[in-house]
Amino acid sequence: PEEVFTPDYAYYSSYSDSWVAHARRFVQRAVQRLDLGPDSLVTEVASNDGYLLQHLVARGVPVLGVEPCADVAAAARARGVRTEEVFLGEASGKELAGRYGTADLVVGNNVLAHVPDVVDFVRGLRALVSEGGVVSLEFPHLQRLVELRQFDTIYHEHYSYFTLRTAAAVLEAGDLVVVDVDELSTHGGSLRVWARPAVAAGRPSDTVGEVLSRERAAGLHDLAGHDGFAGAVLDVKSDLLEFLVGASRRGELVAGYGAPGKGNTLLNHCGVREDLLAFTVDRNPAKQGRYLPGTHIPIRGPEALADAGPDYVLVLPWNLRDEIAAQLAPLRERGTRLVVPIPRLEVL
């Protein structure tokens, strides 16, 4: 983990406007649901650049960010978000709780899959939350990954891929019980689980049983539900390569948008290089002037699209397609078309 996530981890959550808006809506709901106020404490694990906790700071709710990456932790502090640079485990969770107190709400968005030792991690969550408190975790839903052919979200930063059943089993190892779940559209289809310490858990909502039943019906509680996934991935690869090769033969220019981890999986698996994708752009200055790993496709600032006027823009963070389409509206008015590769190739 120290090699992957520190010291200059280049992912800043706040560069996605829609993700910041998603965090703001979550905060509004959590404040109402848990009656959070100036006497509460909200701790977020993998708090990144303060994209979520800043909304609580603005409401006067005390917060603590737990973020091991020095650069994004510094960005969070600049927003007024109190942040500790540490990886969460049982020992560090107990140490933080001893200094700051246990929290009424512990949040962890898109971090569970990144953790090599999930049992130690959830025991850290348990150390951070109060006896009557709540843990809220968001993670991509394995059922959506399989159904929508999202193989590009499988990459080296992710150690695990969760159904509700497997997430609940991991949490139970940390004395936490899932009491409710929300199904979200983020990241191609995610779950938000709400868990409580076992001593105060009570009966889970009906929604928990409904999601578990759908997973079971899809075969995802055993191996059957995963049959055929490799063939579906091959279809994605074939369709993308057919499109890019065809555009190249017609003399059309294709550029990319974004430099996400999922984009690197997609392009490397498909064998795409600079001859088929001239360059990509990203709003994050930390990525500009560099190259995509493996493919060596150059990363430029967004203004490069206006300068080049490509015929097509391949949207690599397809989960942000609506946000990106809005950002590129002037380019589209000039005739550029967007290409979304997953779950099926679409030309917009």
Side-chain angles (χ1 to χ4, degrees), residues 122-123 126 129 131 170-177 196-199:
V122 298
R123 287 174 177 167
R126 178 63 184 90
V129 70
E131 292 288 307
V170 168
L171 286 165
E172 285 175 10
D175 194 42
L176 294 165
V177 177
R196 288 184 177 275
V199 67

Side-chain angles (χ1 to χ4, degrees), residues 149-206:
R149 314 195 294 184
Q150 298 167 350
F151 77 95
D152 58 341
T153 62
I154 301 171
Y155 52 87
H156 289 303
E157 287 181 26
H158 293 163
Y159 291 87
S160 307
Y161 305 86
F162 292 94
T163 58
L164 177 58
R165 183 191 182 201
T166 52
V170 168
L171 286 165
E172 285 175 10
D175 194 42
L176 294 165
V177 177
V178 173
V179 296
D180 201 4
V181 60
D182 300 322
E183 296 180 271
L184 309 172
S185 62
T186 52
H187 293 282
S190 297
L191 296 180
R192 176 191 292 142
V193 299
W194 302 83
R196 288 184 177 275
V199 67
R203 180 182 175 183
S205 70
D206 292 342

Side-chain angles (χ1 to χ4, degrees), residues 9-32:
Y9 186 55
Y11 180 76
Y12 288 72
S13 296
S14 293
Y15 281 111
S16 170
D17 296 336
S18 61
W19 184 243
V20 174
H22 170 76
R24 183 173 60 250
R25 291 190 296 271
F26 166 78
V27 165
Q28 290 171 345
R29 180 181 177 191
V31 167
Q32 294 171 352

Side-chain angles (χ1 to χ4, degrees), residues 55-332:
H55 303 301
L56 287 155
V57 171
R59 290 170 173 263
V61 179
V63 303
L64 174 65
V66 181
E67 172 55 58
C69 306
D71 52 353
V72 290
R77 293 191 194 97
R79 285 191 167 94
V81 176
R82 181 174 59 177
T83 304
E84 289 283 346
E85 290 176 31
V86 64
F87 285 101
L88 181 68
E90 184 174 13
S92 59
K94 289 179 177 178
E95 192 274 333
L96 289 170
R99 281 198 286 144
Y100 295 100
T102 54
D104 302 282
L105 171 64
V106 176
V107 182
N109 288 345
N110 297 301
V111 61
L112 193 60
H114 293 262
V115 179
D117 186 345
V118 289
V119 173
D120 185 53
F121 178 79
V122 298
R123 287 174 177 167
L125 295 175
R126 178 63 184 90
L128 289 175
V129 70
S130 67
E131 292 288 307
V134 174
V135 173
S136 174
L137 300 177
E138 292 183 22
F139 49 86
H141 192 188
L142 180 61
Q143 185 172 354
R144 297 291 170 258
L145 186 154
V146 172
E147 291 175 348
L148 300 179
R149 314 195 294 184
Q150 298 167 350
F151 77 95
D152 58 341
T153 62
I154 301 171
Y155 52 87
H156 289 303
E157 287 181 26
H158 293 163
Y159 291 87
S160 307
Y161 305 86
F162 292 94
T163 58
L164 177 58
R165 183 191 182 201
T166 52
V170 168
L171 286 165
E172 285 175 10
D175 194 42
L176 294 165
V177 177
V178 173
V179 296
D180 201 4
V181 60
D182 300 322
E183 296 180 271
L184 309 172
S185 62
T186 52
H187 293 282
S190 297
L191 296 180
R192 176 191 292 142
V193 299
W194 302 83
R196 288 184 177 275
V199 67
R203 180 182 175 183
S205 70
D206 292 342
T207 308
V208 172
E210 293 167 4
V211 174
L212 288 172
S213 294
R214 289 200 299 272
E215 290 179 351
R216 188 179 304 109
L220 291 176
H221 292 177
D222 52 44
L223 292 178
H226 303 273
D227 289 342
F229 187 63
V233 170
L234 179 60
D235 289 341
V236 173
K237 177 179 181 177
S238 301
D239 291 347
L240 179 59
L241 283 174
E242 183 179 347
F243 169 79
L244 291 174
V245 170
S248 177
R249 286 175 175 167
R250 294 189 298 269
E252 296 169 330
L253 178 64
V254 184
Y257 189 104
K262 59 168 57 74
N264 292 320
T265 298
L266 176 73
L267 298 176
N268 277 289
H269 178 66
C270 295
V272 175
R273 299 295 184 266
E274 198 175 347
D275 56 340
L276 296 179
L277 191 69
F279 62 90
T280 192
V281 303
D282 200 278
R283 294 176 69 189
N284 185 348
K287 297 184 180 183
Q288 296 167 12
R290 302 192 179 198
Y291 297 84
L292 294 181
T295 63
H296 296 169
I297 293 169
I299 307 169
R300 302 175 183 171
E303 65 280 357
L305 289 177
D307 295 338
D311 298 284
Y312 300 96
V313 172
L314 177 63
V315 179
L316 296 175
W318 44 259
N319 53 302
L320 302 176
R321 56 183 288 173
D322 293 339
E323 177 182 343
I324 292 168
Q327 291 175 11
L328 299 185
L331 199 66
R332 298 175 70 194

